Amino acid sequence: MKTKLLFLISFFSFALSFSQTKITGKVTFKNKGIGEINVTLKNTYDGATTDSDGNFSFETSEKGNQILTFTHPKYNEVQKPIVIEDKDVSVNTELKEQINEIDAVVISAGSIEASDRKRATALLTPIDIYTTAGADGQISSALTYLPGVQKVGETEGLFVRGGTGTETKIFMDGSLINNYFSSSVPGIAGRDRFNTSLFKGNIFSSGGYSALYGQALSGALMLESVDLPDQSSYDFGVSPIFLNGGFQKLSEDKNHSYGATLGYSNLNLMQNVFNFNTDFIDAPQGLNGDANFRIKTKSGGFLKYYGMFDTNKMGVKTESLEPEYDFALVRLKGENTYHNLSFKQKFGKYLFNTSASYSYNRSDLNFSTETNQVESEKTELLNDGNYINFKAVIDRKINKISALRGGFELNYANEKLNFGEVNKNYRDLISSGFVETDLGFSNNLSAKIGVRAENSSYLNKNNIAPRFALAYRLAKDWTTSFAYGLFFQNPESKYINSSADLDFQKSQHYIFQVQRSTEGRSLRFEAFYKKYDELIKTQNIVPNSNQNQQVQTAFNNNGNGFAKGLEVFWRDKKTFENIDYWISYSFLDSKRDFLNYPVSLKPNFAAEHTLSVVAKRFIPEWKTGVNLSYTYAKGRPYYDIVTQNDKNIIRNEGRLKDYNALNLSFNYLPNLGKKDSKAFTIFVLSISNILGTKNIYGYNFSQNGSRSSAVVPPVNTFVFVGMFISFGVDKTQDAINNNL
């Protein structure tokens, strides 16, 4: 009996060892071995990581036709088919560098390109954004931790290098997004309307951007939507704030997909838990949903549709600054819908891109007062807007390192405003044409030259905006670039309340950059100068002597200004094991004579010094990601400006206290490493402003200027807890590879 038992044990041990096949190989980049490359058999947990010389080795019991994948955040993924039989397999592969660093220098066809991607401030993936503590999963919030973007908490928008929040425009698949941010009440910033996971990449240019984009005096954020999903999946998210769910269905031939999501949010429970600074009489709540389909043509083209809607409402009650009543109340009801259809197809040597979008936005604000617990009649401020955008671009390669592209764009706006006795209907069609060329002179020198022309039907004016960029490689790891451009933008429609003869606002950008990029480390210095001309000037107009209906109205384009500064950015993934961190510093010197400013002043949205630090680490043995971020900004100026005797005067002014915020978040992946898991779960704990610093965004003043109140965040410290479950797609490895 004992002999038989020993025989069986020996037999099964031999059979087990015999069934294991050894897979070895080497991974290289530019003929040099590279480490930390994940090598796995697709749809299995068998694999290894390359050593410092690029070598890997692992054993597997899988048989037959398999696919070996090579992945790393810095390189394009490679998949190689292999056949596993009864002998060892050896596979070598050469990887190509992928653009996924914030300031990566990208060599394309042996030439440094002076395009937007290479001068962009950020190339952020959804995981980059989700794992930045304090960003709340929003693209716009994540960008505030990068050079050039101001931390402005009281209103939405990207405030870039001395520009207002409306001077940076946002595009989806080339098409302009009107109303990217949700409607809100004064003093509380609206949130991103768009789900971060919708986009595979986010390219942010803080100046000197391409002639393909316009109507932005400061910068451009270009969002690229995802293509086909890897496979069908179902997602579910739950927290004390929201509940959402969705699905993506991929066809069997993997040539088309469709999907939808639905979500509901309500802050009422958290208002009862935390000590809010804001008294919400109606807690912020919203309902949103979206749908999409994507079709890949037989010839490799892509047709993509995305549509969404959202509704939101809230009510805020504040102590009155006026002696005749006790409280001021404002209530909001907002509605928005957005639809985007894009098509991309290659025809021989030509690449054709076209996109069209439609959006509708309705913001219904009601103002009232309360005295002795009795509420007054409401005054309504109703905004309705319909927007249509169409864009077509044709791109042709001239040779391996040069290209020519051109096209046209139409942007139509129809807005209606009703505010008591003020009724306005604003219509404008902006027609644009553009042409641009990439010129490669040598392996070390390239340029981009473009021009954009626009016509506004409302202004009845034209403009021509030349753009130019040059890039040169100084040494192996050092590059330098220069960019210049003219940029035009229509006056904001909310200031157009009379028949004043207005023109385009204008800015000129001069940008000089030097950067050094090595394996795992990057350093960038950037200096800039922006000159503003023909900015609009405004005064408070009182229709029919009703003091409660003052509207700020543009009367000429005599404003001007400047912004200059220096930015430093350092990112390091190499010094500390499993830690990715970056440090950004911005110095900004800016003055403007615009809107109701009586003289040239430092803008109330511009901080002179801004410092941000972001650090991320994933701890595999704990299945946990730990993320930290810190922001400091020197106190911004504030002003109380009123119109008296047809002149604007400063009644009160000063400087806010310095801004400080330390944020912390954790991501726990319990199913990590479980081969048979059918659901892939991520738990999130996020604490914003963990030290409870009492930051101030500005001041409100009474009508006579004798009383004031601080504009503060709705809550000093906020804790978010949530759970996200995905059925069908294991997203945990993506999370690890992208610096959770």
Side-chain angles (χ1 to χ4, degrees):
M1 184 69 183
K2 185 180 293 185
T3 303
K4 291 182 179 180
L5 182 60
L6 289 173
F7 173 78
L8 288 174
I9 292 174
S10 301
F11 175 80
F12 283 117
S13 298
F14 173 79
L16 184 62
S17 63
F18 182 80
S19 65
Q20 294 287 317
T21 302
K22 191 174 184 179
I23 299 178
T24 61
K26 185 171 184 176
V27 181
T28 57
F29 171 64
K30 293 184 178 180
N31 298 319
K32 292 184 179 180
I34 48 177
E36 300 181 358
I37 305 299
N38 294 319
V39 185
T40 58
L41 283 178
K42 191 172 183 179
N43 298 323
T44 77
Y45 283 84
D46 297 335
T49 301
T50 60
D51 60 22
S52 58
D53 296 322
N55 299 309
F56 69 91
S57 175
F58 67 92
E59 294 182 342
T60 181
S61 58
E62 303 290 338
K63 298 293 183 182
N65 294 323
Q66 302 290 335
I67 295 178
L68 195 62
T69 66
F70 302 83
T71 60
H72 188 280
K74 189 177 179 180
Y75 304 95
N76 291 326
E77 179 179 310
V78 171
Q79 296 189 1
K80 285 198 169 185
I82 62 173
V83 178
I84 303 177
E85 295 175 335
D86 295 331
K87 59 182 179 179
D88 294 346
V89 178
S90 178
V91 181
N92 297 328
T93 190
E94 176 83 7
L95 298 186
K96 293 183 178 180
E97 193 172 23
Q98 174 179 301
I99 305 174
N100 65 354
E101 295 291 336
I102 274 181
D103 57 349
V105 178
V106 179
I107 308 299
S108 177
S111 172
I112 302 173
E113 295 187 6
S115 66
D116 286 293
R117 284 180 175 270
K118 287 64 184 180
R119 295 198 319 279
T121 298
L123 295 164
L124 298 179
T125 66
I127 292 296
D128 289 326
I129 295 164
Y130 285 131
T131 58
T132 298
D136 301 326
Q138 298 184 92
I139 297 172
S140 62
S141 296
L143 293 178
T144 63
Y145 294 94
L146 300 171
V149 186
Q150 297 285 296
K151 188 71 175 180
V152 178
E154 69 272 26
T155 186
E156 62 278 353
L158 290 169
F159 294 77
V160 177
R161 293 179 172 175
T164 68
T166 60
E167 291 177 13
T168 298
K169 292 300 172 68
I170 303 175
F171 303 84
M172 175 179 176
D173 294 331
S175 186
L176 176 66
I177 300 177
N178 289 285
N179 304 112
Y180 176 83
F181 299 94
S182 64
S183 301
S184 189
V185 301
I188 298 178
R191 291 179 57 85
D192 291 18
R193 277 195 168 106
F194 293 78
N195 189 328
T196 299
S197 297
L198 170 67
F199 306 106
K200 62 183 178 182
N202 311 290
I203 306 169
F204 175 57
S205 175
S206 55
Y209 56 87
S210 165
L212 272 64
Y213 307 96
Q215 284 295 304
L217 291 183
S218 293
L221 172 61
M222 286 77 80
L223 305 176
E224 300 177 6
S225 67
V226 298
D227 296 327
L228 292 171
D230 293 330
Q231 63 187 78
S232 299
S233 65
Y234 300 87
D235 298 280
F236 179 75
V238 62
S239 82
I241 302 174
F242 65 79
L243 179 69
N244 61 39
F247 73 93
Q248 291 292 323
K249 180 68 174 179
L250 179 65
S251 64
E252 291 185 2
D253 60 7
K254 296 186 177 182
N255 283 330
H256 68 270
S257 70
Y258 62 91
T261 65
L262 184 67
Y264 173 74
S265 63
N266 193 319
L267 205 64
N268 188 60
L269 177 61
M270 303 307 288
Q271 186 179 358
N272 296 327
V273 174
F274 293 100
N275 182 24
F276 272 62
N277 298 320
T278 302
D279 182 8
F280 287 109
I281 50 178
D282 295 315
Q285 57 183 290
L287 177 68
N288 63 83
D290 63 63
N292 66 80
F293 67 77
R294 302 161 185 136
I295 300 173
K296 184 178 181 180
T297 67
K298 293 182 179 180
S299 54
F302 251 108
L303 176 67
K304 296 192 286 189
Y305 164 78
Y306 172 78
M308 60 86 72
F309 78 91
D310 77 72
T311 64
N312 69 312
K313 68 176 184 177
M314 73 174 77
V316 174
K317 180 178 181 179
T318 58
E319 290 189 16
S320 171
L321 295 174
E322 308 302 330
E324 58 265 28
Y325 46 85
D326 300 329
F327 297 97
L329 294 82
V330 57
R331 294 179 175 88
L332 165 75
K333 289 184 179 179
E335 299 176 9
N336 179 269
T337 184
Y338 177 81
H339 302 272
N340 184 295
L341 182 67
S342 65
F343 178 68
K344 178 173 64 176
Q345 178 71 60
K346 191 171 183 180
F347 299 97
K349 296 181 179 180
Y350 295 89
L351 177 65
F352 178 67
N353 279 279
T354 185
S355 60
S357 66
Y358 166 75
S359 61
Y360 167 75
N361 189 69
R362 180 184 179 91
S363 174
D364 188 359
L365 286 168
N366 284 271
F367 300 90
S368 61
T369 61
E370 182 181 305
T371 305
N372 297 324
Q373 298 182 342
V374 177
E375 188 175 353
S376 69
E377 292 186 4
K378 298 180 178 65
T379 301
E380 185 181 43
L381 173 59
L382 179 63
N383 274 288
D384 277 297
N386 288 274
Y387 308 91
I388 298 173
N389 182 268
F390 178 80
K391 190 173 188 177
V393 183
I394 296 179
D395 192 313
R396 187 189 190 281
K397 280 281 188 180
I398 300 174
N399 54 44
K400 290 184 178 180
I401 57 177
S402 298
L404 177 68
R405 67 188 62 88
F408 69 93
E409 180 179 10
L410 302 174
N411 191 44
Y412 175 73
N414 183 354
E415 299 176 351
K416 295 181 180 180
L417 178 143
N418 295 295
F419 183 34
E421 299 177 6
V422 178
N423 293 281
K424 182 178 69 174
N425 192 353
Y426 171 83
R427 291 190 180 95
D428 188 25
L429 173 63
I430 301 176
S431 307
S432 308
F434 47 84
V435 63
E436 187 175 75
T437 182
D438 296 327
L439 299 173
F441 300 107
S442 70
N443 289 340
N444 297 326
L445 178 66
S446 66
K448 179 185 289 289
I449 302 173
V451 64
R452 183 182 180 91
E454 297 177 334
N455 170 269
S456 167
S457 65
Y458 180 86
L459 299 177
N460 195 24
K461 301 286 176 65
N462 304 302
N463 69 59
I464 297 179
R467 314 277 171 87
F468 171 77
L470 187 71
Y472 179 69
R473 185 190 308 176
L474 297 171
K476 177 184 176 183
D477 300 322
W478 290 90
T479 60
T480 183
S481 62
F482 171 79
Y484 166 80
L486 274 180
F487 302 86
F488 293 90
Q489 186 170 347
N490 279 38
E492 286 184 66
S493 59
K494 69 178 181 179
Y495 299 121
I496 301 177
N497 300 303
S498 69
S499 57
D501 183 20
L502 301 177
D503 204 340
F504 295 102
Q505 303 178 102
K506 182 172 69 174
S507 68
Q508 296 183 64
H509 295 193
Y510 300 85
I511 303 168
F512 179 74
Q513 180 192 100
V514 176
Q515 67 177 14
R516 182 176 188 266
S517 183
T518 59
E519 182 72 27
R521 295 188 182 122
S522 55
L523 175 66
R524 191 189 74 188
F525 300 91
E526 189 158 296
F528 66 90
Y529 175 76
K530 292 166 62 177
K531 185 177 184 296
Y532 297 96
D533 292 297
E534 300 176 19
L535 300 179
I536 60 169
K537 296 288 295 179
T538 65
Q539 286 183 345
N540 287 335
I541 304 299
V542 182
N544 299 325
S545 300
N546 186 343
Q547 292 293 327
N548 293 323
Q549 292 186 25
Q550 294 190 24
V551 290
Q552 201 170 162
T553 301
F555 60 92
N556 64 39
N557 280 87
N558 294 341
N560 58 75
F562 72 87
K564 57 185 178 181
L566 176 68
E567 298 168 0
V568 182
F569 180 80
W570 164 255
R571 188 169 189 176
D572 181 9
K573 292 184 176 183
K574 187 175 182 180
T575 302
F576 306 103
E577 186 178 2
N578 297 325
I579 292 179
D580 172 22
Y581 74 94
W582 72 70
I583 301 171
S584 68
Y585 167 74
S586 300
F587 167 73
L588 174 64
D589 179 17
S590 179
K591 280 191 175 182
R592 280 191 172 201
D593 179 10
F594 83 132
L595 296 182
N596 62 350
Y597 284 20
V599 294
S600 182
L601 299 170
K602 288 184 178 295
N604 61 355
F605 48 79
E608 189 175 6
H609 302 280
T610 304
L611 174 70
S612 292
V613 180
V614 174
K616 306 178 182 184
R617 185 186 180 190
F618 187 79
I619 308 172
E621 55 268 27
W622 294 358
K623 305 179 181 180
T624 300
V626 182
N627 313 296
L628 276 168
S629 71
Y630 170 74
T631 297
Y632 163 82
K634 186 174 177 60
R636 296 182 276 129
Y638 67 85
Y639 309 103
D640 174 26
I641 301 175
V642 296
T643 303
Q644 292 183 356
N645 300 321
D646 294 330
K647 289 186 178 181
N648 296 328
I649 64 170
I650 301 176
R651 225 169 25 182
N652 297 282
E653 63 179 310
R655 184 175 292 277
L656 304 175
K657 62 179 290 190
D658 294 352
Y659 177 91
N660 286 275
L662 177 66
N663 310 294
L664 175 66
S665 70
F666 299 92
N667 312 88
Y668 174 58
L669 290 69
N671 296 331
L672 183 64
K674 293 183 179 180
K675 185 174 181 178
D676 299 324
S677 180
K678 296 181 180 180
F680 307 97
T681 306
I682 300 178
F683 291 95
V684 177
L685 169 63
S686 176
I687 308 172
S688 300
N689 191 19
I690 192 171
L691 300 180
T693 306
K694 296 182 178 180
N695 292 306
I696 297 176
Y697 295 147
Y699 287 95
N700 291 321
F701 292 88
S702 61
Q703 289 187 10
N704 62 13
S706 62
R707 302 179 64 188
S708 65
S709 62
V711 180
V712 297
V715 63
N716 292 328
T717 299
F718 190 76
V719 179
F720 170 82
V721 179
M723 178 180 67
F724 303 89
I725 305 175
S726 177
F727 300 90
V729 175
D730 185 355
K731 298 180 180 179
T732 56
Q733 193 62 43
D734 291 337
I736 296 172
N737 289 344
N738 289 276
N739 304 312
L740 250 177

